[in-house]
Amino acid sequence: MKIAVLADGCDYRSKVTEKFVDARWLLIVDMDQQRICEAIEKNEGDTENKDLAKNIIDRDCESVICGEINKVPFEILADQGVTRSLGNGLIVADAVRCEYMLELITDYIGGQGCSSESHHTGTCDCEHDACN
C-alpha cells in the first residue's frame, strides 16, 4: 500500500503543509517497506495543483495526507477514490504512523462537505461522486 504526503520538505522530519497548495514536495510512502520510495518536487507552474493530484493517482496511492484542499485537486482525488486525511502541521513520520486516526477531508476549501457521521452510515445528501 502506498500513501502520499504533501510536505514542506523531502524526508520524514518534514512537516505536512497547512494547505495542499502550499506543498513543496509530494512524498510517496511504501507502507509495506515503511520507507519513502519517491520524493517529487512540486512543479511551480502547476498553479491548480493538477500535477500533484495526478501524480498521486499515477502512483496508485490509496490515501493522501495533507492540509486543506482546493476544488480542482480535491475532485481529481475524490473521483479516483483516494482517501484524504487531514494531517497539517504534523511531522511526516507521525502523520504516516497515525494515518488511520486522522480526520477525513470530506470536501474542498469553500465546499459544502459531508459530516463524518454521514460517511459512517453510508447516507449523504451532497452531490459529490466520492460520497455517493
Side-chain angles (χ1 to χ4, degrees):
M1 176 176 143
K2 292 181 186 172
I3 293 178
V5 183
L6 281 290
D8 62 3
C10 60
D11 60 35
Y12 271 124
R13 296 179 309 262
S14 304
K15 283 194 173 183
V16 178
T17 54
E18 292 297 318
K19 295 183 180 177
F20 193 98
V21 69
D22 296 337
R24 291 188 50 224
W25 291 89
L26 168 60
L27 307 178
I28 308 298
V29 179
D30 184 319
M31 295 301 288
D32 297 331
Q33 297 180 11
Q34 292 292 305
R35 68 177 185 89
I36 296 172
C37 60
E38 194 171 2
I40 303 164
E41 191 167 14
K42 181 180 177 181
N43 172 1
E44 291 304 321
D46 183 20
T47 56
E48 290 189 334
N49 297 292
K50 287 181 184 179
D51 291 345
L52 283 177
K54 288 178 182 176
N55 278 324
I56 293 167
I57 302 300
D58 291 345
R59 279 145 180 91
D60 295 322
C61 296
E62 294 181 22
S63 176
V64 60
I65 300 172
C66 56
E68 296 177 331
I69 309 173
N70 291 335
K71 182 178 181 177
V72 171
F74 178 91
E75 289 180 343
I76 291 169
L77 296 168
D79 286 347
Q80 294 299 312
V82 176
T83 301
R84 301 150 318 272
S85 300
L86 189 62
N88 53 338
L90 294 174
I91 301 296
V92 171
D94 294 338
V96 169
R97 185 173 40 254
C98 300
E99 184 261 344
Y100 64 95
M101 296 181 349
L102 298 175
E103 177 183 344
L104 295 179
I105 300 172
T106 59
D107 207 350
Y108 56 86
I109 297 170
Q112 294 178 358
C114 299
S115 69
S116 59
E117 181 179 302
S118 65
H119 283 280
H120 293 289
T121 63
T123 60
C124 182
D125 55 4
C126 78
E127 297 175 12
H128 291 80
D129 291 340
C131 297
N132 299 320

